[in-house]
Amino acid sequence: GQQVQQSPASLVLQEGENAELQCNFSTSLNSMQWFYQRPGGSLVSLFYNPSGTKHSGRLTSTTVIKERRSSLHISSSQTTDSGTYLCALNNNAGAKLTFGGGTRLTVRP
Amino acid sequence: EAGVTQSPRYAVLQEGQAVSFWCDPISGHDTLYWYQQPRDQGPQLLVYFRDEAVIDNSQLPSDRFSAVRPKGTNSTLKIQSAKQGDTATYLCASSRRLGQNTLYFGAGTRLSVL
């Protein structure tokens, strides 16, 4: 089965609403990263977060290893937050990252 | 510093044709990755290199796909005899050292096989 699963697959918000994106993994974890991808654009790293909670502006990432999950919280969403959010893990099997399927976020004005 | 550069940005092929993708990683990065991203899916690793050596190509369809990084800098991914199922965006990424988890991605090459 898939090692990394993301939910929801898609999400539509009104500007100003908050969002909670989930990433669940079925294998051991060495590190967890969150990426942002604009349609037709490259991936931009948001967080490198192997455990605990990290903040960056309106974004918060929390990884709980023993529960095999990581979340990305977006507060006060803006239309420019629209795009795909991807989580990726490294499970000690070398340097490669295994990605989830992504959450496609649309923020309407 | 300049980012990861990929070319071409787009490619449209008929089934059976061949195509090559080119990647120039960030200067000084020893590890280079090729990912395939089908539409509405997450990226899936095809192959990665440390310098000129292949570290893992277990997910690369070896009958039609090949990848090289002869001088440990630029890399080329080639598809012989493309199939419709190869339609996807091909992403190149690099990291400073093998095992360092901060990856920097290029904009990708969007391939359509008709």
Side-chain angles (χ1 to χ4, degrees), chain B residues 38-92:
Chain B
R39 185 178 175 83
D40 293 333
Q41 296 184 34
Q44 297 156 21
L45 181 69
L46 292 173
V47 59
Y48 72 102
F49 298 84
R50 180 183 183 180
D51 298 321
E52 68 278 6
V54 173
I55 302 301
D56 184 351
N57 63 357
S58 59
Q59 302 305 309
L60 193 69
S62 58
D63 57 334
R64 297 184 300 109
F65 286 63
S66 62
V68 295
R69 194 185 183 199
K71 297 182 179 179
T73 51
N74 302 336
S75 178
T76 302
L77 176 69
K78 184 173 183 178
I79 306 176
Q80 302 269 22
S81 188
K83 298 182 179 179
Q84 287 188 351
D86 299 332
T87 295
T89 297
Y90 291 82
L91 296 165
C92 178

Side-chain angles (χ1 to χ4, degrees), chain A residues 23 25 36 66 82 86:
Chain A
C23 179
F25 45 94
Y36 168 71
K66 62 181 180 180
S82 296
L86 293 152

Side-chain angles (χ1 to χ4, degrees), chain A residues 30-31 33 35 37 39-43 45 48 84 86 90 93-102 104, chain B residues 9 31 33 35 37 40-45 48 56 58 91 98-103 105-108 110:
Chain A
N30 183 50
S31 68
Q33 289 189 65
F35 291 87
Q37 186 176 36
S42 60
L43 278 71
S45 180
Y48 173 79
T84 299
L86 293 152
N90 172 283
K96 60 186 178 183
L97 292 179
T98 301
F99 283 83
R104 280 154 285 286
Chain B
R9 285 300 314 274
T31 308
Y33 305 79
Y35 281 85
Q37 186 177 22
D40 293 333
Q41 296 184 34
Q44 297 156 21
L45 181 69
Y48 72 102
D56 184 351
S58 59
L91 296 165
L98 182 68
Q100 187 179 66
N101 290 297
T102 303
L103 267 62
F105 281 83
R110 189 176 297 180

Side-chain angles (χ1 to χ4, degrees), chain A residues 68-102:
Chain A
R68 297 195 169 184
R69 64 174 177 86
S70 182
S71 64
L72 179 68
H73 183 84
I74 305 173
S75 62
S76 303
S77 63
Q78 301 175 0
T79 56
T80 52
D81 294 332
S82 296
T84 299
Y85 292 81
L86 293 152
C87 65
L89 70 82
N90 172 283
N91 66 349
N92 294 324
K96 60 186 178 183
L97 292 179
T98 301
F99 283 83

